Amino acid sequence: MAENNNNDGDEPFPWHLGVFDAHCHPTDTMSTLSSIPSMKAKILTIMATRAQDQHLVVQAASKLGIQSSDAAASLESLSKEERVVPCFGWHPWFSHQMYDSAAYADKETLNDEDKIAHYQSVLDPRSEDRDFCLALPDPRPLSQFLEQTRRHLEQHPLALVGEVGLDKSFKIPEAWMPEHQEQRDDSLTPGGREGRRLSPYRVSIEHQKVVLLAQLRLAGKMQRAVSVHGVQASGVLFETLRETWKGHEKVGKRKQKKMQENEKHVGTDENGGAKSPKPYPPRICLHSYSGSAQQLSQYYQQSIPVDVFVSFSTAINFSGSRPPDAVEEAIKAVPDGNVLVESDLHIAGEHMDRHLEDIVRVVCRVKGWSLDDGVRQLGQNWKRFVFGA
Ligand SMILES: [Zn+2]
């Protein structure tokens, strides 16, 4: 762990300047939500991931959401109870639990044969174990989830889309054995792994892409930022994200002028058509970024019309799975205005504050920022990620 193993460990930490958690999951342990108003961190960006936590994120937002309609301008005047930005999305670890509605004639539920066929088509390798497939949760239509998410986003004007993404390394857990289910910890929100054995099956990357792309398009339509999970999938993740902005790449000044002249000839509206809705999300955060520094450069090509943020956590990035040097190289490679910090933790409270302090200290040390300057910069970055300009 990186806890307090840096040079700045003794310098008092400037919580008063505002520290923002760009990605966390406190709804996994609902009893800890009540500790949020007394946390030192200012605002938590809380992700939804699966069937069991969408309404819990709504609940967190109704108790602790930001009420001010002009929060971006006046974060300083928020009350102690305005501490949460909700995010709605479906995580790749649960992507098999959704079926492409079009492939099943828009059926609202699947019978056993369709359920087996669905799981056989999305699991990799294909499973011939019908009992295994039947023991998995009843899958739900993707279209229905998208509709629910659209409503959540409408009801929460500050909400983002997340957590979504692609993951080539995870395997789905086996179904609960009845005797184990009785012993499970009721304080945890159901649906997580909770120590269950892993099956040999992954979810095909093709299916993960269908679920991700649909959510990215919704984020584009609603012009909301997105928090993205990517593990061992940096090439295919970039390609999938790029699909959303294909044809909308930024062009150089000279080419732009020429295009505008052409547009005048065909006749556009008063604004030169500039206000037409864009099909891609305006801002993306690569959360707990685990790729290399080199792979980041593709996101900062001038032609890319999306503002790409990269977020780091001690829980994932300094947990020993990758050499700290590689993570530090990645931190250095992110433009100063695009770095975010996060806890990625499942429990709110002091523990989360400690993790946030640790990662802020690491980022400041690597970037050569004083703690005051770093916390201010990271706060500005978070505001731009969540609220836009
Ligand atoms: Zn997460």
Side-chain angles (χ1 to χ4, degrees), residues 83-365:
R83 308 297 292 271
V84 160
V85 169
C87 308
F88 299 98
W90 198 272
H91 195 288
W93 293 350
F94 311 100
S95 51
H96 56 297
Q97 297 171 13
M98 262 192 313
Y99 61 91
D100 187 356
S101 327
Y104 292 91
D106 287 324
K107 282 186 198 167
E108 282 195 19
T109 52
L110 297 186
N111 63 27
D112 283 359
E113 282 312 307
D114 283 344
K115 178 175 174 179
I116 293 168
H118 161 72
Y119 278 121
Q120 287 186 329
S121 74
V122 303
L123 296 187
D124 182 18
R126 183 186 157 91
S127 172
E128 297 305 331
D129 185 343
R130 293 168 57 90
D131 290 337
F132 175 80
C133 292
L134 283 174
L136 292 171
D138 285 339
R140 55 185 292 191
L142 174 57
S143 57
Q144 196 189 71
F145 170 72
L146 293 171
E147 180 50 28
Q148 181 196 63
T149 305
R150 192 187 58 74
R151 281 199 307 271
H152 284 152
L153 294 174
E154 265 173 15
Q155 281 156 11
H156 300 90
L158 296 179
L160 313 185
V161 171
E163 175 172 3
V164 302
L166 298 177
D167 190 322
K168 275 194 185 167
S169 81
F170 81 102
K171 289 176 176 157
I172 62 173
E174 298 197 334
W176 284 95
M177 306 296 274
E179 64 270 27
H180 289 151
Q181 192 152 23
E182 272 168 33
Q183 292 161 11
R184 71 172 289 276
D185 179 350
D186 285 336
S187 71
L188 302 178
T189 298
R193 180 179 166 196
E194 293 181 40
R196 279 181 288 167
R197 268 182 31 190
L198 294 179
S199 75
Y201 304 107
R202 302 175 197 277
V203 180
S204 77
I205 206 73
E206 290 74 24
H207 183 69
Q208 293 189 41
K209 272 177 68 174
V210 169
V211 174
L212 170 60
L213 262 177
Q215 297 183 84
L216 291 172
R217 297 215 159 101
L218 177 64
K221 206 183 271 174
M222 311 276 296
Q223 285 297 290
R224 303 296 173 93
V226 183
S227 191
V228 178
H229 166 113
V231 172
Q232 288 179 19
S234 70
V236 59
L237 179 60
F238 178 73
E239 288 307 320
T240 309
L241 293 169
R242 184 161 75 170
E243 269 183 49
T244 66
W245 67 70
K246 219 174 235 167
H248 296 264
E249 286 86 354
K250 286 200 278 188
V251 290
K253 283 222 170 86
R254 266 168 72 186
K255 210 171 164 192
Q256 201 174 21
K257 209 174 156 205
K258 209 167 172 197
M259 281 168 67
Q260 278 167 353
E261 277 166 13
N262 288 343
E263 273 175 15
K264 271 183 203 153
H265 292 303
V266 289
T268 48
D269 58 39
E270 284 174 322
N271 304 322
K275 289 265 190 261
S276 62
K278 298 186 171 74
Y280 53 87
R283 300 171 303 282
I284 285 172
C285 169
L286 305 173
H287 107 85
S288 284
Y289 179 73
S290 59
S292 69
Q294 211 179 5
Q295 285 160 340
L296 276 175
S297 59
Q298 60 194 347
Y299 287 99
Y300 295 104
Q301 302 167 52
Q302 287 220 314
S303 60
I304 292 180
V306 178
D307 200 0
V308 179
F309 294 81
V310 184
S311 169
F312 298 91
S313 67
T314 46
I316 303 292
N317 297 125
F318 292 91
S319 62
S321 57
R322 292 192 72 222
D325 285 359
V327 186
E328 293 188 6
E329 283 308 309
I331 293 173
K332 276 186 206 149
V334 182
D336 291 357
N338 292 72
V339 192
L340 297 173
V341 289
E342 63 175 63
S343 69
D344 202 17
L345 285 186
H346 303 256
I347 299 175
E350 277 174 40
H351 190 56
M352 193 175 261
D353 277 338
R354 220 159 31 239
H355 271 255
L356 288 168
E357 177 174 341
D358 287 340
I359 190 63
V360 169
R361 285 182 185 274
V362 170
V363 168
C364 288
R365 175 174 53 75

Side-chain angles (χ1 to χ4, degrees), residues 28-42:
D28 275 346
T29 324
M30 283 302 277
S31 59
T32 66
L33 284 191
S34 58
S35 65
I36 293 176
S38 54
M39 279 178 69
K40 294 177 191 158
K42 198 164 176 76

